[in-house]
């Protein structure tokens, strides 16, 4: 059986995401993070591991913030920069081709919102394609380095929104504790009522808080989105099938 070929672009209502040069294409999970993260009061946003630039573009559509996107892979960085330049907000979107750990060493100003859908597989078999492996597996950016980068770059009252598989999310929260980064929200994500959760969107902040826990279901039955998913995606998606 042949694998389904991904489209070379992902069309949204206000912009188009070209993704042919990126090892990691647009996913529903990443779109959920981009649509769900609370960015409305942010002044400076950082996107760690920008890939296609999806998270930055979703944020740019619903905020006036200045957005910096850091991406290590040269081809993905070039693609994201093209997507930024073709969007309605090129003056607010900046692509920085650099390792996030090196960016930390430049001591930039801190951000009041950090978004990241990082390479997250820890123990699974690496992809035979080196670029795909770097995009999917955290060997080049271990969770320890990710959380330390977030600690150095997050403002005192800022929040970081992180999409990870469940085991990696638990590990990240444990690594964050000695840095006094505390979970504020933990939202489990599942494909449908018939599926177990497969991802978690975790919100970290510097102030201890009662954790808001929730469960989000993407589909009634694929490809029919739940009403909750349709509400989040409707400002972006050009086509959706919604449950009755």
């Amino acid at each position: 059986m042949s694998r389904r070929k991904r489209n070379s672009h992902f069309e949204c209502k206000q912009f188009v995401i070209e993704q042919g040069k990126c090892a990691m294409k647009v996913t529903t999970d990443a779109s959920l993070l981009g649509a769900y993260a609370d960015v409305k009061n942010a002044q400076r946003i950082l996107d760690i591991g920008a890939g296609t630039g999806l998270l930055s573009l979703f944020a740019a559509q619903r905020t006036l913030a200045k957005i910096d996107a850091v991406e290590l892979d040269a081809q993905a960085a070039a693609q994201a920069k093209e997507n930024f330049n073709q969007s309605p907000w090129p003056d607010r979107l900046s692509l920085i081709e650099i390792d996030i750990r090196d960016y930390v060493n430049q001591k930039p100003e801190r951000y009041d919102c950090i978004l990241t859908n990082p390479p997250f597989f820890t123990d699974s078999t690496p992809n035979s394609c080196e670029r795909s492996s770097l995009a999917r597996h955290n060997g080049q950016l271990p969770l320890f380095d990710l959380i330390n980068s977030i600690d150095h770059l997050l403002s005192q009252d800022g929040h970081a929104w992180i999409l990870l598989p469940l085991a990696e999310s638990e590990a990240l929260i444990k690594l964050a504790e000695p840095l006094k980064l505390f979970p504020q929200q933990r939202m489990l994500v599942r494909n449908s009522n018939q599926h177990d959760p497969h991802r978690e969107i975790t919100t970290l902040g510097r102030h201890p808080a009662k954790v808001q826990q929730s469960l989000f279901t993407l589909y009634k039955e694929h490809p029919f989105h739940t009403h909750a998913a349709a509400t989040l995606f409707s400002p972006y998606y050009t086509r959706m099938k919604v449950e009755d």
Side-chain angles (χ1 to χ4, degrees):
M1 180 182 293
S2 62
R3 297 182 63 184
R4 179 172 63 89
K5 186 177 180 181
R6 295 267 190 169
N7 290 334
S8 63
H9 68 277
F10 183 78
E11 186 174 352
C12 294
K13 289 181 178 178
Q14 296 190 36
F15 54 86
V16 173
I17 299 176
E18 296 291 344
Q19 57 181 357
K21 299 176 185 177
C22 293
M24 281 298 293
K25 312 304 183 187
V26 171
T27 67
T28 302
D29 293 336
S31 296
L32 177 61
L33 172 61
Y36 177 74
D38 185 358
V39 300
K40 62 180 179 294
N41 294 320
Q43 300 298 312
R44 300 191 75 233
I45 296 174
L46 176 66
D47 177 359
I48 300 178
T52 62
L54 178 149
L55 296 180
S56 295
L57 288 162
F58 271 46
Q61 181 173 314
R62 55 196 176 95
T63 182
L64 297 177
K66 174 74 169 60
I67 302 170
D68 292 331
V70 173
E71 174 55 54
L72 176 61
D73 182 87
Q75 292 185 58
Q79 185 97 85
K81 187 172 183 179
E82 291 174 8
N83 290 333
F84 291 171
N85 289 339
Q86 294 300 315
S87 79
W89 317 284
D91 57 324
R92 294 194 287 110
L93 290 158
S94 298
L95 193 288
I96 306 166
E97 185 184 332
I98 194 172
D99 188 305
I100 188 62
R101 291 161 293 197
D102 294 331
Y103 186 60
V104 167
N105 291 332
Q106 294 181 1
K107 297 182 178 179
E109 292 184 38
R110 295 192 177 227
Y111 297 85
D112 48 10
C113 180
I114 294 177
L115 306 171
T116 183
N117 174 25
F120 47 49
F121 290 113
T122 302
D123 297 321
S124 57
T125 303
N127 194 293
S128 58
C129 171
E130 182 179 359
R131 289 185 65 229
S132 294
S133 184
L134 289 174
R136 292 174 61 82
H137 299 266
N138 63 21
Q140 292 297 313
L141 183 59
L143 292 176
F144 177 83
D145 291 351
L146 174 64
I147 196 61
N148 275 277
S149 297
I150 290 173
D151 180 43
H152 280 89
L153 294 168
L154 187 66
S155 67
Q156 183 61 33
D157 295 317
H159 291 91
W161 301 76
I162 308 154
L163 173 67
L164 287 168
L166 308 191
E168 282 75 10
S169 185
E170 288 286 353
L172 188 81
I173 288 171
K174 290 180 181 178
L175 290 169
E177 186 175 355
L179 300 175
K180 297 189 184 318
L181 286 170
F182 305 99
Q184 315 286 304
Q185 299 183 42
R186 300 184 66 177
M187 185 173 77
L188 295 174
V189 181
R190 63 182 178 181
N191 282 329
S192 75
N193 292 338
Q194 286 72 49
H195 292 85
D196 292 328
H198 65 285
R199 297 285 183 268
E200 181 173 275
I201 294 178
T202 304
T203 312
L204 297 178
R206 297 195 181 277
H207 306 292
K210 182 178 180 180
V211 181
Q212 299 179 34
Q213 297 183 315
S214 59
L215 174 64
F216 194 92
T217 305
L218 290 165
Y219 299 98
K220 173 69 174 180
E221 182 179 86
H222 195 276
F224 296 95
H225 287 93
T226 62
H227 288 292
T231 298
L232 283 177
F233 293 147
S234 62
Y236 304 99
Y237 284 13
T238 57
R239 296 181 297 274
M240 275 190 301
K241 295 180 178 180
V242 184
E243 66 175 326
D244 294 331

